[in-house]
Each structure stands twice: as structure tokens, then as C-alpha cells.
Amino acid sequence: HTLYIAKDYSAIAVGADEVAFAVEKEAFLRNIPIRIVRTGSYGLYWLEPVIEVELEGGKRIAYGPVTEEAIGSLFDSGFLEGSDHPLCLGNLQEHPYLKKQTRLIFERIGKNDPLSLDSYMAWGGFQGLKKAIELGPDKVIDQITKSGLRGRGGAAFPTGIKWKTTKGAIASQKYIVCNADEGDSGTFSDRMVMEGDPFLLIEGMAIAGFAVGADKGYIYLRSEYPLAHEILNKAIAVCRSQGILGSPLFGSSFSFDLEVFLGAGAYVCGEETALLESLEGKRGMVRPRPPLPAVKGLWGKPTVINNVITLASVPWILSHGGEAYAAYGVNRSKGTLPVQLSGNLKYPGLVEIPFGISLRDLVYGFGGGTRSGRPLKAIQIGGPLGPYLPEHLLDIPLDYEELSKIKGIVGHGGIIAFDDQTNLAHMAHYAMEFCAEESCGKCTPCRIGSTRGMELMEKILMGKGSRKELELLFDLCDTMLHASLCGLGGMTPFPVLSALRHFPEDFGYCKEEIC
Ligand code: SF4
């Protein structure tokens, strides 16, 4: 009997390791031979820990959420033969949460052992890289440009242009840097890819290296992801031993190698120039631009910096063609986005979906509304510095430009939901506090502004805010918005201003005062 249980940090956090151990123990006591394959998670997190049992013919039946206490009754019921136990979820692939998705990046995740190269190959792995080598660097960049892929880390910069710039730069050495410093609250798609399908990221980086002429890559990984660290290092070792990394690739003269670099826990190192400083062994501080990292990046050499999801989208684009990718999505927002649902939602998890779906469909159709059962008050999209969008704005489509019309951002695709008991003034104060804590200190609007902003908001929250404090807060936000050197200081006003605009009563003001 083969069973599949996720070895993914979110699944482990709710007991997947203990469940796997208990299943093994119970099978041993009952003298039943079993094989447990630890996989990535499908991202239906309210159902974890999930056990999938493979039946004859390869069909799988899932059970969840499984507790250690339920193991005995699962065996008694004959779950290894697909029994109708109360925890039976049926075939997960038929579950509407999965069935309604368009999984291009997450196609394999959850189904197999992330470190099995055979399984990766069997599911079409390295076809994108082979195709890239067949096409040659210029045509690879053409395909990426045609796909309309934009940076999924938050900046949404066209990937094709970035690659073209680095390819065109003349230098003896170039680099590919993967930004895996996934620091936004409510985001976990990068982690899921690194833990659940590490070869996909390696393939994406190798394609990028081939396209721009970089033979060396780094994955800048946040230190809070120890499991991803372990899995990535093992995957790199497998690729080296199989001649995929560090040797000429698939009959070409090009070879690529990469290593993982652990960050030290600063949010600002998600900003690409601060990341480069950190990678060079210096304190993570933002560099002024120009020069662009694409021309003068790591150790002064041309460097492509893309985030995990951007690079993980590349193999699919190469093996299916840029136009096939661009057929998904709307307007200038092409392809799919792995949206991460969390906060006060009934069904938190990972939803990979083409752009164009409404936020309402994501929050209610997938997320199932609030877990508390109370009315939804707002969502925050785009990380800790994303704005709060009230319930009545949820009909807006997931689209970079449409969202920016209502002062929203897509960011890294994290959506956090709040019910009507949340005070958004307190949440907005947290944004200022976060900025004060994480500011790299290079520019005044952010370094001083965030601390003064925090003090000002504390005064308002204590009921001591008059018209004067309000004007001062608007003034301060305006300075931070327009004069900060990077997005950390420049975006901190987003939650503050959106909370003030949509929920003035949480600050003790009335609507007219805000206008
Ligand atoms: Fe540093 Fe903040 Fe200025 Fe960014 S905005 S450079 S984090 S001080």
C-alpha cells in the first residue's frame, strides 16, 4: 500500500509528521506493509494533515484532516482499500477547490516526492530547458516577452525586458539571483514551490542563465524556511550528480550551477538591491538606482533578479510557448497567479488561477467567506504594506492595472481577510510599527517618518487626535509616499491611508473630516 502525506511546513505545523509516524506505527503493529511518500502540499490547508491512499489502478482517495487519534479507526474501517470513513474526502483532484484552479506552476506539487528526479522527468520536467537549448538565447527571450510574464515578487516588471537588458550587457560574468526572501505576511507560494517542487525552480533558473549568458546562480532564501533550505540543497546535489548542474546541459556547451544563500531575517532584503548587498556579505541596505541590477548588480556584474514564482513559471512557458501562456489572463496581466488566501477565512490555501478572476470569487468562491461567520469587513492584498480594501470593492478583477485604479496592489498575491470585529486603525498602526522596525535607515522619510507616524497614530488611537494630528498624518504619509528611496517607506502609507479613507470611524473620525 502506498500512502502520500505532505511534508510541507504548513502541514507539519498542524501535525503531518506525527500523523505519518502514527500511521507507520499502526501498520507495523498490524503487520501491514505500507510505503509512505512525503510530498508537497496541495495547499488545501484547512484539510491538512491529509493522507492520500493509492488504490489499485493508481487512483487516490484522500482522508483529512487526520489526527493521531483517528489512525486506529482509519485502519479499522479499511481505509487502505478506500473505505468510507467519516474523514474520507474522496478523490482530491475532483474537489472543487482544486478543480476550479488552473495549475501551471503547481501542477505537480502534492502528487509526488519533491526530490524524485524520475518523477519530475515523468511529469514533463526539464522539457522547458531542453526546448530553450533547442531555440537558443534570443528566441527564449522572445518567448518570455510574448508570454507577458511580469515579476511576481510585487514589482510586476516585464521579465522579458529584464532578461534582454542583462543579455545585452557586455561582461565576463553574469548572475541569476532568485529572490526567495518571501517576507510578506500571508504569503507562502514561494515556500510551497521550494518545498514541493524544487527542480522546477532549478530548471527556471537554468533557463534564465542560458538566455542571458549567466553560468552562476544564487537562491537568496529567508532563514525562516529551514525545510526549503534542506530540500533545495538536496535537489541541487541530485542535479549535480546527474550532470544537470555544473556540467554541459543537454548536449550544449552551456553549463550552469547554483547555490543557496541564507538571509538573516531583514524584510528589506526582499528589495532587490538590499538583497544584493546582503548577498555580497554587507549589511542589507538599499542601493540608489540607476544603475539597474540588470546592468550592474551582484559584485558589479549584470544580474537578473527574479522571484521564485516568476522563475517557476518559465519552464511551462518554454515547453508550451509564450503565446499559450499569454492566452491565460486579461489585459496586461497575463498568465496565472498563485493566490495565497489566509486570515479570517473558512478555506485558507493556495489558489493558482488566471488573472481576471474577481477578488470576490477568490474570497467567497474559494475562501468560503469568514471563518468566524461574521460579516467580512476588508481584505488586505499585497503584503503587510498593501492597502485595505472594503467588502464593497471586491468585484474588482485580479489585474495589476485595474487594482491600481482603486489604489490597490497585487504584490506577491497574498490576500488576508478581516471580519467586522477587526479595528483597522490598529492594523494600520502596525504597518507604521513594522516600517519603523524594518527600515534600513538609509533615507529620512522612512527612518524618521515611520517612528513619528507611529507616535502620531498612537496619539490618535488614544482618542487624543484632533484635526491637527490628522493633517500631520496626511502630510507625513505624503512625504513617505513620494520621497522614500524604496518601497518599504514608500508603501507604508498604503494601509494607513486606505484605513483612514474607508474606515475613519476606527480612528475616531467621521467621513467628512477625512474628505
Ligand atoms: Fe531604507 Fe526605508 Fe529608505 Fe527603503 S525607504 S531605503 S527601507 S530607509
Side-chain angles (χ1 to χ4, degrees):
H1 299 281
T2 305
L3 289 83
Y4 299 85
I5 300 174
K7 184 182 168 75
D8 157 287
Y9 238 46
S10 299
I12 289 172
V14 290
D17 278 350
E18 288 79 3
V19 163
F21 181 72
V23 170
E24 218 158 356
K25 190 172 148 200
E26 194 66 30
F28 176 77
L29 293 174
R30 295 182 187 229
N31 207 13
I32 304 173
I34 60 161
R35 182 173 78 102
I36 297 180
V37 178
R38 301 302 299 269
T39 63
S41 171
Y42 289 115
L44 281 66
Y45 281 126
W46 75 100
L47 295 177
E48 292 285 2
V50 172
I51 301 178
E52 273 191 303
V53 179
E54 192 171 272
L55 305 179
E56 269 188 39
K59 189 183 162 198
R60 297 186 194 179
I61 295 290
Y63 298 84
V66 179
T67 56
E68 286 173 82
E69 294 70 39
I71 304 295
S73 76
L74 278 168
F75 272 91
D76 290 344
S77 75
F79 85 123
L80 293 174
E81 271 72 44
S83 71
D84 197 16
H85 187 276
L87 292 180
C88 182
L89 301 165
N91 177 0
L92 265 194
Q93 300 309 315
E94 296 299 319
H95 193 290
Y97 202 85
L98 271 183
K99 218 168 174 195
K100 285 192 293 176
Q101 299 190 32
T102 304
R103 292 197 160 201
L104 310 184
I105 305 163
F106 281 73
E107 195 185 357
R108 271 178 295 262
I109 297 180
K111 293 177 180 164
N112 60 0
D113 173 1
L115 288 168
S116 162
L117 194 60
D118 288 345
S119 158
Y120 184 68
M121 299 286 212
W123 282 89
F126 290 112
Q127 290 308 317
L129 182 55
K130 285 181 187 156
K131 184 81 190 184
I133 287 164
E134 222 175 281
L135 290 175
D138 287 323
K139 286 190 178 153
V140 170
I141 295 178
D142 270 0
Q143 290 302 316
I144 297 296
T145 307
K146 271 191 193 140
S147 75
L149 178 67
R150 294 163 73 173
R152 300 288 190 239
F157 189 80
T159 308
I161 296 180
K162 207 180 236 189
W163 288 20
K164 201 171 177 182
T165 310
T166 300
K167 177 166 190 298
I170 314 275
S172 54
Q173 177 71 56
K174 297 177 188 177
Y175 296 104
I176 304 297
V177 173
C178 170
N179 185 346
D181 193 55
E182 188 174 44
D184 281 357
S185 44
T187 61
F188 43 84
S189 59
D190 291 358
R191 178 185 59 72
M192 286 182 73
V193 167
M194 293 185 287
E195 291 175 356
D197 203 3
F199 297 126
L200 182 69
L201 177 59
I202 293 172
E203 184 179 352
M205 289 182 73
I207 295 171
F210 175 72
V212 306
D215 62 1
K216 178 83 191 163
Y218 292 93
I219 299 173
Y220 186 93
L221 178 70
R222 70 189 313 235
S223 57
E224 292 88 339
Y225 285 173
L227 184 58
H229 188 210
E230 181 193 320
I231 291 179
L232 283 171
N233 276 332
K234 284 185 180 163
I236 291 169
V238 170
C239 287
R240 283 193 190 133
S241 69
Q242 297 302 311
I244 293 167
L245 288 176
S247 315
L249 274 171
F250 302 121
S252 72
S253 57
F254 175 77
S255 76
F256 183 77
D257 205 354
L258 65 96
E259 60 187 275
V260 183
F261 181 95
L262 268 194
Y267 180 75
V268 75
C269 288
E271 196 282 337
E272 57 184 22
T273 61
L275 183 154
L276 291 177
E277 288 282 295
S278 173
L279 199 49
E280 290 179 8
K282 301 177 206 146
R283 180 175 155 195
M285 284 183 92
V286 174
R287 293 177 185 170
R289 275 183 272 205
L292 294 171
V295 180
K296 201 167 178 229
L298 188 62
W299 292 297
K301 304 293 183 196
T303 304
V304 164
I305 310 176
N306 281 137
N307 113 304
V308 174
I309 296 298
T310 316
L311 289 162
S313 306
V314 166
W316 194 97
I317 293 171
L318 264 296
S319 50
H320 295 80
E323 273 165 18
Y325 186 79
Y328 294 106
V330 288
N331 307 319
R332 289 183 52 223
S333 303
K334 300 295 191 194
T336 60
L337 182 75
V339 176
Q340 303 120 90
L341 299 176
S342 67
N344 196 335
L345 285 178
K346 238 184 239 157
Y347 309 127
L350 190 287
V351 176
E352 185 180 349
I353 201 87
F355 283 93
I357 184 174
S358 74
L359 299 182
R360 189 173 300 283
D361 280 347
L362 282 165
V363 171
Y364 288 100
F366 282 97
T370 63
R371 190 182 181 90
S372 61
R374 298 190 60 89
L376 183 89
K377 181 169 179 173
I379 61 163
Q380 186 177 33
I381 171 164
L385 305 179
Y388 300 108
L389 302 180
E391 213 272 348
H392 69 88
L393 286 180
L394 294 191
D395 291 311
I396 201 93
L398 183 71
D399 173 316
Y400 292 109
E401 280 67 36
E402 288 299 313
L403 265 166
S404 87
K405 283 184 196 159
I406 57 157
K407 297 190 190 309
I409 55 167
V410 173
H412 188 45
I415 293 182
I416 305 177
F418 305 96
D419 75 4
D420 64 344
Q421 287 189 313
T422 314
N423 183 310
L424 289 176
H426 284 114
M427 294 303 298
H429 170 260
Y430 170 71
M432 278 286 185
E433 201 182 340
F434 180 80
C435 181
E437 178 76 26
E438 296 289 342
S439 169
C440 83
K442 184 135 181 168
C443 68
T444 316
C446 167
R447 185 184 67 244
I448 310 272
S450 53
T451 301
R452 293 291 93 86
M454 206 170 77
E455 292 163 358
L456 204 51
M457 287 186 73
E458 272 157 21
K459 202 167 170 188
I460 293 171
L461 289 175
M462 282 192 292
K464 294 179 184 163
S466 64
R467 178 96 210 141
K468 189 175 142 235
E469 274 73 33
L470 188 62
E471 278 171 11
L472 211 54
L473 185 58
F474 275 121
D475 225 28
L476 178 71
C477 284
D478 194 53
T479 308
M480 289 180 76
L481 267 176
H482 297 107
S484 296
L485 190 57
C486 85
L488 207 166
M491 285 171 63
T492 296
F494 286 6
V496 179
L497 293 175
S498 60
L500 268 170
R501 189 180 317 121
H502 299 297
F503 308 100
E505 59 288 351
D506 285 6
F507 292 80
Y509 293 112
C510 60
K511 262 221 150 54
E512 292 67 38
E513 283 177 285
I514 301 301
C515 298

